[in-house]
Amino acid sequence: MSSLNPVYITAAGAYLPGAPVSNDEVEEYLGYLFGKPSRTKQNMLRQNGITSRYYAIDKNQQTTHTVSGMTAAAIQSCLQKAGVAKKEIGFLSAATTQGDLPVPGFASMVHADAQLEQCEIASHQSVCAAGMMAIKNAWLHMRTGEADKAVACAGELPSRMFKAQRFEQQTMVKEKNQLDLETDFLRWMLSDGAGALLLENQPARHQFSLQIDWIDLRSHAHLYDVCMYAGKNKNNGKASWIDYSSFSEADNDAAINLKQDLKIVHNIVHLGVQHFFNLIDEGRVDPNQLDWLLCHYSSEYFRPQIVDLLQKGGCAIPPEKWFTNLHTRGNVGAASIFLMLEELLYSGKLQAGQKLLCMVPESGRFITSFMQLTVVAPTSAAPALSIHTNDAIEAPVIRTSGMPVQEWLVRQLTSVWVDFESSLRQVPVVQKIYNGSLSMEDYKLLLVNLRQQVIDGSQWIARAASNITIEYFDIRSAFITHSRDEHRDYQILEKNYLACGGTYEELRQGEKNIGSEALSAFMFHKASQPNPFDLLGGMFIIEGLGNRLAGKWGRAIQEQLQLQDDQVSFFIYHETSDANDNHFERFEKAIQSDLLQEAIAARIVKTAKITARLYAMQLQELGNY
């Protein structure tokens, strides 16, 4: 066992569709059966204790999300908090009760929607315990070294199964003018959403992590009949809805309806408590050492029964140690434990060394599962960030002489800049700068990748200057001066890299990543054309970075990594010298000259758009050669 790797939950993400739905609004979303309010709703809501929940359908009973799409959004939230790139994920373990499609597997659909790169995947389909299955699979992959980083996730979208119009054509429903209680009961219990966890072999640097001590899951399917199910009716001789002569016949017979057998559901309570007692007897759980109990009970109706059995067994857990968000999130099935962990992890309530016990029972055919976690303190203090993702986006200020074509150009370039800076904030290395998770290795990789583009920058500007005809002598001179400044920039960058512990050999072996290759090829192509004034669009984007962002990034990097000025001067010199102002002044003089005609202005805008896309690609593809 000593050779197995420790595993930590280092970040959590959640996605809840739309606005919270109050109890009074539930039927506005699910629909009124035969146009009449439900007679059971108030009693069921009183029993389950849920006051609000989320639905991925609107008040016209139209689906607004997919379950795989919501789960992908939760993964995006999780990775963004951790500053981890999608390409770093080696294993995706996904869970749901009911995916969007019967085939293919849920993990495949989530993988596609999340746009993760090639990785191993596993789909887990059950009811609530499917989420714990997904976590355990990811945990074991990490324990044994099968993956460096893994994501476990779960999503649910049961609301679309409970729309009133789904039931109104079913024979039994029409005859009784109401739903059977075993289905109606669930209409007021279940809600939509998704959650995700990032698993790593090292704790997080700047926030609490949760070390996974163990996970224990047990099926009791051999003891009881199926309890929560869809796809059949009991005691009609058909094993599955697929055995009907047509899908319409199965639907008409209510075989597709999600149901809960209320005569046997109570068995899940004593099975769960019995499993808990067994873990105590085995020495895996010490109730006196538990600081938090995250118990996924589906309804407040069951909590007193659980508490009573625990007390009778001498293992009462004080109410203040229970954590649940059932009342405000609803019962989100397999995703519930993810949503609880996400909320508690970022609540500010955790302290290093605390023990968390997660309990997830399932009434599908009776599964009980437990997971113990230990809170681990950050490995270093979080820096006070001088930069934030919600900082306003402001385009570089461009002075004009008031000509209409100049004003049009400024408006267009401002729009291009807003899109550019917004896209940059989605790039993993930039996200790390903004959220304080950048490492020294990340920074060195950024420098060595930028070096190739900066070296090429002075060369394509010089080539452009050589293709400018003599009647535009002033513009040509400005390009030549700009080329000289760019050459100095790459020398500053190299000094920063060496000051951070890099070597000349590493620099000499450096090559363009695939984004830099595309950017350089485009810029050299443009520079080789006669009078390539549209390159002013490229200069606007690249010099705009220096004008607007480089200094902010440099100071944030310096704060996070506690660096000296000579380690970040490539970024911060734009704020501390007049070089940046000179660069932009040359750009402004160019667009204030007689060369700016409508056709050239349009070409400048297009080149700015292309340069922005390729520059973001360059940062997106760090290390991808």
Side-chain angles (χ1 to χ4, degrees):
M1 295 294 289
S2 60
S3 63
L4 297 177
N5 300 319
V7 181
Y8 305 86
I9 296 171
T10 56
Y15 185 81
L16 296 165
V21 176
S22 69
N23 288 349
D24 292 337
E25 299 175 286
V26 169
E27 280 185 289
E28 294 179 28
Y29 284 85
L30 299 182
Y32 295 91
L33 194 64
F34 301 115
K36 300 176 182 178
S38 168
R39 291 179 293 178
T40 63
K41 182 185 76 169
Q42 293 302 329
N43 184 48
M44 295 300 178
L45 290 173
R46 203 164 33 246
Q47 287 186 3
N48 66 37
I50 299 169
T51 58
S52 65
R53 77 285 291 141
Y54 293 79
Y55 289 140
I57 59 174
D58 61 23
K59 290 186 178 181
N60 295 315
Q61 288 80 58
Q62 297 300 306
T63 304
T64 58
H65 299 69
T66 62
V67 64
S68 60
M70 290 192 294
T71 309
I75 293 172
Q76 174 66 24
S77 170
C78 178
L79 297 184
Q80 186 169 347
K81 290 173 184 174
V84 168
K86 293 179 180 179
K87 64 183 179 182
E88 297 180 59
I89 303 305
F91 181 58
L92 172 68
S93 187
T96 189
T97 301
Q98 172 101 34
D100 302 297
L101 303 175
V103 178
F106 182 58
S108 291
M109 302 302 291
V110 174
H111 182 204
D113 281 350
Q115 287 296 288
L116 302 178
E117 296 195 5
Q118 181 175 289
C119 64
E120 185 177 353
I121 64 172
S123 298
H124 300 271
Q125 186 276 319
S126 192
V127 191
C128 302
M132 195 70 89
M133 295 174 191
I135 298 172
K136 183 161 188 176
N137 197 341
W139 173 60
L140 292 176
H141 267 71
M142 296 294 296
R143 287 278 277 166
T144 56
E146 288 287 315
D148 293 326
K149 288 181 173 64
V151 166
C153 57
E156 300 283 23
L157 208 169
S159 63
R160 59 187 171 187
M161 298 184 70
F162 293 116
K163 296 185 289 187
Q165 61 205 44
R166 186 173 301 283
F167 308 113
E168 290 176 340
Q169 301 305 313
Q170 295 176 352
T171 299
M172 289 187 293
V173 176
K174 288 191 292 186
E175 289 175 352
K176 296 179 180 179
N177 204 37
Q178 64 181 20
L179 274 174
D180 283 342
L181 187 59
E182 60 182 7
T183 293
D184 193 36
F185 164 77
L186 293 172
R187 287 190 91 202
W188 322 114
M189 295 282 291
L190 302 178
S191 54
D192 308 337
L197 304 175
L198 174 65
L199 277 61
E200 300 186 82
N201 292 132
Q202 299 291 332
R205 291 172 57 207
H206 301 315
Q207 61 188 25
F208 282 117
S209 302
L210 302 172
Q211 183 170 1
I212 301 177
D213 299 331
W214 51 261
I215 302 174
D216 196 275
L217 186 146
R218 294 286 179 265
S219 169
H220 310 276
H222 62 301
L223 299 178
Y224 301 99
D225 193 6
V226 64
C227 180
M228 185 173 176
Y229 60 100
K232 65 176 288 185
N233 288 316
K234 291 188 177 183
N235 305 318
N236 72 347
K238 297 185 185 296
S240 168
W241 63 283
I242 304 176
D243 294 324
Y244 285 81
S245 59
S246 70
F247 295 155
S248 298
E249 183 184 350
D251 177 38
N252 183 57
D253 197 31
I256 302 176
N257 294 359
L258 185 63
K259 312 173 184 71
Q260 179 124 60
D261 189 333
L262 300 178
K263 297 186 297 294
I264 60 174
V265 66
H266 63 276
N267 288 298
I268 193 61
V269 175
H270 72 76
L271 288 171
V273 174
Q274 182 184 51
H275 190 171
F276 179 60
F277 289 161
N278 290 340
L279 292 170
I280 294 173
D281 294 340
E282 294 168 10
R284 304 184 79 179
V285 174
D286 182 350
N288 296 320
Q289 298 301 313
L290 292 180
D291 298 285
W292 296 98
L293 173 65
L294 285 73
C295 181
H296 168 55
Y297 50 91
S298 60
S299 167
E300 278 292 340
Y301 175 80
F302 293 112
R303 178 164 169 165
Q305 300 175 43
I306 299 171
V307 170
D308 181 60
L309 288 176
L310 290 176
Q311 289 176 338
K312 289 178 178 177
C315 299
I317 297 176
E320 63 271 16
K321 293 186 177 183
W322 288 61
F323 182 87
T324 182
N325 52 18
L326 171 71
H327 312 97
T328 57
R329 300 290 186 266
N331 177 359
V332 199
S336 287
I337 192 62
F338 292 83
L339 295 175
M340 281 192 277
L341 284 168
E342 191 272 342
E343 185 171 330
L344 183 57
L345 182 59
Y346 302 111
S347 67
K349 297 178 180 179
L350 297 180
Q351 298 178 20
Q354 287 184 330
K355 292 287 186 182
L356 284 64
L357 185 67
C358 302
M359 176 184 180
V360 180
E362 175 188 308
S363 62
R365 193 148 186 171
F366 300 109
I367 298 172
T368 57
S369 60
F370 289 83
M371 173 172 63
Q372 183 173 285
L373 308 168
T374 301
V375 181
V376 178
T379 58
S380 60
L385 299 179
S386 60
I387 192 169
H388 302 277
T389 53
N390 57 359
D391 289 346
I393 294 176
E394 298 177 2
V397 176
I398 305 173
R399 293 169 293 188
T400 69
S401 57
M403 298 294 290
V405 67
Q406 295 172 7
E407 301 291 346
W408 179 87
L409 178 61
V410 169
R411 291 194 300 272
Q412 296 301 309
L413 290 179
T414 297
S415 177
V416 172
W417 179 267
V418 171
D419 291 341
F420 173 54
E421 190 172 340
S422 297
S423 69
L424 285 182
R425 295 187 184 190
Q426 303 304 312
V427 174
V429 70
V430 179
Q431 289 180 342
K432 290 183 178 183
I433 294 172
Y434 277 97
N435 66 24
S437 65
L438 192 78
S439 69
M440 178 61 85
E441 290 306 310
D442 293 327
Y443 178 50
K444 289 170 65 179
L445 183 65
L446 175 62
L447 289 175
V448 79
N449 277 253
L450 285 178
R451 173 182 179 269
Q452 314 308 320
Q453 175 255 312
V454 174
I455 290 175
D456 279 1
S458 63
Q459 296 175 344
W460 64 255
I461 296 171
R463 180 177 296 185
S466 70
N467 284 301
I468 296 176
T469 55
I470 193 65
E471 62 264 35
Y472 299 109
F473 179 82
D474 290 344
I475 305 300
R476 180 177 182 178
S477 297
F479 270 59
I480 292 171
T481 303
H482 197 86
S483 174
R484 181 195 62 204
D485 292 342
E486 288 294 316
H487 183 72
R488 290 172 178 166
D489 281 358
Y490 108 82
Q491 293 175 321
I492 297 171
L493 187 153
E494 286 191 341
K495 290 178 181 178
N496 288 174
Y497 185 77
L498 297 174
C500 289
T503 67
Y504 274 118
E505 183 64 24
E506 292 167 341
L507 289 172
R508 282 193 292 269
Q509 292 176 349
E511 58 178 309
K512 301 185 189 76
N513 69 42
I514 62 175
S516 298
E517 290 279 11
L519 177 60
S520 290
F522 174 74
M523 301 307 274
F524 276 115
H525 166 71
K526 285 294 180 182
S528 300
Q529 308 304 309
N531 289 327
F533 299 128
D534 51 342
L535 275 175
L536 290 169
M539 292 170 64
F540 168 77
I541 293 298
I542 295 172
E543 297 309 325
L545 273 171
N547 181 282
R548 274 279 301 130
L549 295 176
K552 293 180 179 179
W553 288 1
R555 283 185 283 106
I557 292 168
Q558 187 172 29
E559 292 162 356
Q560 291 176 37
L561 301 180
Q562 299 181 331
L563 302 179
Q564 302 299 314
D565 288 350
D566 66 346
Q567 294 173 298
V568 292
S569 55
F570 171 73
F571 288 95
I572 64 176
Y573 96 99
H574 293 86
E575 288 190 331
T576 59
S577 75
D578 62 359
N580 185 51
D581 290 337
N582 288 340
H583 289 183
F584 229 75
E585 183 179 344
R586 295 176 197 135
F587 169 79
E588 290 173 334
K589 285 183 177 180
I591 68 168
Q592 291 168 9
S593 71
D594 293 338
L595 71 86
L596 189 68
Q597 304 297 320
E598 289 184 7
I600 292 177
R603 286 165 48 200
I604 289 172
V605 172
K606 183 174 182 180
T607 299
K609 290 180 179 179
I610 296 171
T611 304
R613 182 70 62 88
L614 294 177
Y615 203 102
M617 181 181 177
Q618 172 182 234
L619 296 179
Q620 185 80 39
E621 300 295 340
L622 295 186
N624 186 4
Y625 307 117

